[in-house]
């Protein structure tokens, strides 16, 4: 049985398409965004990010109102956003495949 | 607003009254440690440089050691040399002497051997200690404080709680006429366009942007080879585990440490600050090398934010540890001074937490020991090289 509950997330800037989890959450937990209910597609840890809406491959990932990376693949709303599905090329010639 | 500090011969103000034993070259490290161990209140600043360096590489070592030795947190200095090093004990001695600070030197090859040097050095340090012990704290205006803004072991809470809180602390200090300094050029990548808008003139902005461009070029060169593709991540495993995904995300969280004041100055590594207000210093992102630069630049106290938690300290500058992560604070209470995790728990906001840190900082300025000082942590003293001769 999956425990379902509303989670506490922080959207830092109005422009952001990701939010930060303010506590650990479990697959199936939900959040309300723009009056719509979204369920988490997977477990997400405290401090990590969730996609607030559907994000297409190569679309900008925005946090603090600024571009932090680009999507490596299509990312559905409610997904964990991390280096497995986003990438930034700053500081290296080309993005490596390490963490 | 005032704190109780030490007025130095050159007019600067310190928050501590250390007796510093400083080798002019790494070959004198053990002798320096042994001398310092003999006298209460003495600290040794051992390092890995001073020999076989040339040009900008040698200059950076000389500038760092001289500026740390003449730092206002230090009452008196004993220089320990070997005798054949490029950064000569005499040049070091002359610079400290010119600042008016009490200074002595002992050179191993002149004394005969290291045992004789330790004996001669201990006698000189004993005399210096009598002078330094006579100094008393006096009332000093907070406008004379310079705080270093440092972070290490970043997680996602750093950018939303701890960094904005010390940014507020920095704003309060600058509002009182004081100064602060941020650094870690590698951790500005992706956020430099925001900082550029806050620079007071083109000269300051150009210096900062040139530092970022040069650093990014070096990083690209160092990671270009296919054989390093698994070593090209600019942020650490701890950063990743803490929810920080990219260097740009880290930088955007990082720059909250700078608060909202205009950026009035930009200096080279370990250069003494010239401008009042908020300054940028070009340093590596490594905690030790960065903190060493900030201290040499004149910071009497360093505010150090850490989401993952780190116990480190600096031998001659109090380092105040602040975490935005309540779990980390509960786990590392012996190492961390301030729990800014209360912002995320909703018990404080950024403004009130900034003021809490400011008040704590004033207590530390007047003599209260930080957790890192109580536990004797001093591992942040690291001087970076400009040149290294290894081919890769």
């Amino acid at each position: 049985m999956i425990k379902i509950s509303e989670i506490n997330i922080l959207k830092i800037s109005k422009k952001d398409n990701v939010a930060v989890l303010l506590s650990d959450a479990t697959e199936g937990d939900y959040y309300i965004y723009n009056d719509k209910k979204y369920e988490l597609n997977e477990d997400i840890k405290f401090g990590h990010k969730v996609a607030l809406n559907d994000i297409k491959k190569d679309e900008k990932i925005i946090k603090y109102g600024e571009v932090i990376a680009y999507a490596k693949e299509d990312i559905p709303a409610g997904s964990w956003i991390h280096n497995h599905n986003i990438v930034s090329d700053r500081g290296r010639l080309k993005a490596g495949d390490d963490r | 607003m005032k704190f109780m500090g030490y007025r130095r011969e050159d007019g600067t103000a310190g928050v501590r009254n250390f007796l510093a034993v400083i080798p002019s070259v790494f070959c004198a490290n053990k002798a320096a440690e042994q001398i310092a161990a003999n006298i209460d209140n003495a600290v040794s600043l051992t390092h890995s440089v001073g020999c076989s360096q040339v040009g900008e590489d040698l200059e950076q070592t000389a500038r760092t050691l001289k500026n740390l030795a003449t730092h206002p947190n230090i009452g008196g200095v004993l220089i320990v040399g070997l005798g054949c090093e490029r950064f000569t004990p005499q040049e070091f001695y002359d610079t400290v002497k010119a600042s008016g600070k009490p200074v002595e030197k002992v050179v191993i090859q002149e004394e005969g051997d290291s045992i004789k040097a330790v004996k001669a050095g201990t006698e000189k340090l004993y005399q210096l200690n009598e002078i330094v012990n006579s100094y008393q704290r006096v009332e000093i205006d907070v406008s004379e404080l310079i705080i270093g803004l440092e972070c290490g072991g970043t997680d996602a809470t750093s950018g939303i709680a701890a960094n904005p809180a010390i940014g507020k602390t920095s704003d309060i200090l600058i509002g009182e006429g004081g100064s602060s300094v941020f650094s870690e050029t590698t951790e500005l990548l992706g956020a430099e366009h925001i900082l550029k808008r806050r620079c007071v003139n083109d000269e300051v902005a150009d210096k900062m942007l040139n530092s970022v461009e040069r650093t990014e070029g070096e990083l690209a060169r160092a990671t270009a080879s296919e054989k390093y593709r698994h070593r090209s991540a600019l942020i650490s495993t701890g950063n990743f585990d803490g929810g920080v995904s990219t260097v740009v995300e880290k930088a955007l969280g990082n720059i909250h440490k700078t608060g909202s004041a205009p950026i009035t100055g930009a200096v080279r590594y370990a250069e003494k600050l010239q401008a009042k207000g908020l300054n940028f210093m070009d340093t590596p992102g490594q905690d030790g090398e960065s903190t060493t630069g900030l201290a040499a630049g004149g910071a009497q106290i360093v505010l150090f934010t850490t989401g993952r938690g780190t116990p480190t300290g600096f031998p001659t500058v109090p380092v105040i540890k602040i975490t935005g992560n309540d779990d980390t604070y509960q786990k590392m209470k012996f190492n961390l001074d301030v729990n800014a995790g209360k912002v995320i728990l909703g018990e404080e906001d950024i403004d009130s937490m900034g003021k809490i840190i400011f008040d704590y900082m004033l207590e530390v300025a007047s003599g209260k020991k930080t957790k890192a000082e109580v536990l004797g942590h001093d591992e942040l003293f690291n001087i970076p090289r400009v040149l290294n001769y290894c081919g890769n």
Side-chain angles (χ1 to χ4, degrees):
Chain A
M1 273 292 286
I2 295 171
K3 182 177 76 60
I4 295 183
S5 58
E6 185 171 358
I7 58 169
N8 198 4
I9 56 173
L10 173 68
K11 182 183 172 187
I12 296 168
S13 162
K14 255 196 327 210
K15 297 181 194 164
D16 292 359
N17 56 5
V18 299
V20 180
L21 271 80
L22 296 182
S23 53
D24 288 346
T26 309
E27 178 182 351
D29 287 352
Y30 68 94
Y31 58 93
I32 308 286
Y33 179 60
N34 286 342
D35 300 326
K36 266 183 75 179
K37 182 176 170 181
Y38 295 90
E39 284 188 7
L40 296 190
N41 304 326
E42 55 207 304
D43 295 356
I44 307 181
K45 284 209 162 92
F46 167 71
H48 286 245
K49 296 175 289 298
V50 60
L52 284 172
N53 43 256
D54 292 341
I55 298 171
K56 289 257 175 299
K57 183 173 188 291
D58 297 329
E59 207 178 306
K60 291 171 183 169
I61 307 298
I62 300 176
K63 184 183 172 189
Y64 300 108
E66 301 281 337
V67 179
I68 62 162
Y70 293 86
K72 288 202 274 196
E73 59 200 50
D74 289 349
I75 304 171
S79 300
W80 177 38
I81 292 253
H82 206 20
N83 50 302
H84 62 289
N85 54 10
I86 66 171
V87 68
S88 163
D89 279 353
R90 288 300 300 269
R92 39 184 159 171
L93 278 183
K94 58 178 171 48
D97 63 355
D98 60 350
R99 305 165 31 107
Chain B
M1 213 176 285
K2 311 277 185 193
F3 70 97
M4 298 301 287
Y6 295 92
R7 178 65 65 196
R8 298 304 178 197
E9 297 78 2
D10 62 358
T12 57
V15 303
R16 293 292 182 269
N17 192 37
F18 288 116
L19 199 51
V21 183
I22 314 180
S24 49
V25 64
F26 74 91
C27 318
N29 278 355
K30 185 54 76 179
E33 276 175 11
Q34 290 173 342
I35 293 168
N38 288 333
I39 305 286
D40 180 38
N41 190 40
V43 291
S44 59
L45 276 76
T46 55
H47 55 78
S48 62
V49 286
C51 186
S52 297
Q53 294 185 284
V54 294
E56 58 188 12
D57 192 37
L58 178 55
E59 181 57 31
Q60 181 163 290
T61 291
R63 180 167 71 239
T64 308
L65 288 174
K66 286 173 178 179
N67 287 351
L68 284 172
T70 55
H71 189 283
N73 285 2
I74 291 171
V77 179
L78 176 71
I79 291 161
V80 186
L82 175 61
C84 53
E85 59 269 41
R86 304 239 177 133
F87 178 49
T88 67
Q90 190 62 44
E91 178 188 339
F92 197 2
Y93 175 88
D94 289 344
T95 304
V96 182
K97 190 82 186 162
S99 75
K101 205 183 283 294
V103 57
E104 295 289 345
K105 73 173 162 61
V106 60
V107 178
I108 295 168
Q109 289 165 354
E110 288 173 9
E111 295 299 328
D113 62 27
S114 64
I115 295 174
K116 293 193 181 83
V118 170
K119 181 173 184 295
T122 302
E123 287 172 8
K124 287 180 174 177
L125 195 64
Y126 189 95
Q127 304 294 334
L128 278 173
N129 192 38
E130 301 217 318
I131 303 171
V132 169
N133 265 341
S134 72
Y135 297 151
Q136 301 291 322
R137 285 186 185 264
V138 296
E139 213 170 61
I140 289 171
D141 196 81
V142 294
S143 62
E144 296 193 46
L145 276 182
I146 302 172
I147 51 169
L149 306 168
E150 175 66 31
C151 59
T154 294
D155 72 2
T157 66
S158 303
I160 51 181
N163 289 347
I166 70 165
K168 181 68 194 177
T169 308
S170 169
D171 284 349
I172 297 171
L173 180 63
I174 290 169
E176 294 285 334
S179 300
S180 59
V181 50
F182 68 101
S183 57
E184 302 173 291
T185 310
T186 44
E187 323 234 320
L188 302 183
L189 301 185
E192 67 273 28
H193 60 293
I194 301 169
L195 293 175
K196 183 189 169 198
R197 296 195 288 265
R198 287 171 50 197
C199 291
V200 290
N201 58 42
D202 288 348
E203 190 195 338
V204 172
D206 288 347
K207 272 190 179 175
M208 188 178 67
L209 294 180
N210 288 342
S211 299
V212 172
E213 194 182 332
R214 181 191 47 74
T215 299
E216 194 160 14
E218 282 290 304
L219 290 166
R221 187 197 56 73
T223 58
S225 168
E226 190 60 24
K227 64 184 168 181
Y228 301 130
R229 64 181 313 189
H230 296 292
R231 297 199 183 279
S232 69
L234 262 181
I235 55 182
S236 70
T237 52
N239 298 151
F240 282 120
D241 294 343
V244 181
S245 306
T246 71
V247 69
V248 181
E249 181 181 8
K250 190 176 176 186
L252 292 166
N254 170 37
I255 64 170
H256 283 87
K257 285 190 310 215
T258 65
S260 60
I263 300 168
T264 51
V267 294
R268 289 179 300 167
Y269 183 82
E271 196 175 6
K272 288 209 173 167
L273 302 188
Q274 301 298 326
K276 277 275 183 190
L278 178 63
N279 285 260
F280 163 71
M281 179 183 285
D282 187 7
T283 77
Q286 197 251 53
D287 299 349
E289 294 172 344
S290 176
T291 303
T292 300
L294 297 174
Q300 301 107 322
I301 294 177
V302 168
L303 302 182
F304 190 125
T305 63
T306 178
R308 307 292 291 178
T310 172
T312 56
F314 195 83
T316 58
V317 169
V319 177
I320 299 173
K321 291 283 167 45
I322 300 128
T323 186
N325 188 322
D326 181 62
D327 280 349
T328 301
Y329 182 78
Q330 301 306 335
K331 272 195 298 199
M332 295 184 77
K333 273 185 180 162
F334 290 125
N335 299 120
L336 305 175
D337 296 275
V338 182
N339 182 10
K342 289 181 176 175
V343 171
I344 293 175
L345 297 175
E347 295 169 19
E348 299 288 346
D349 59 25
I350 296 296
D351 286 355
S352 63
M353 187 49 71
K355 182 70 169 60
I356 288 169
I357 297 166
F358 183 82
D359 292 342
Y360 186 85
M361 184 187 77
L362 286 188
E363 285 182 46
V364 169
S366 296
K368 180 186 173 73
K369 287 192 174 181
T370 64
K371 302 252 173 108
E373 284 181 292
V374 171
L375 295 180
H377 284 284
D378 61 359
E379 52 282 84
L380 287 169
F381 178 45
N382 284 272
I383 302 177
R385 296 286 305 263
V386 179
L387 274 180
N388 83 64
Y389 302 96
C390 308
N392 279 291

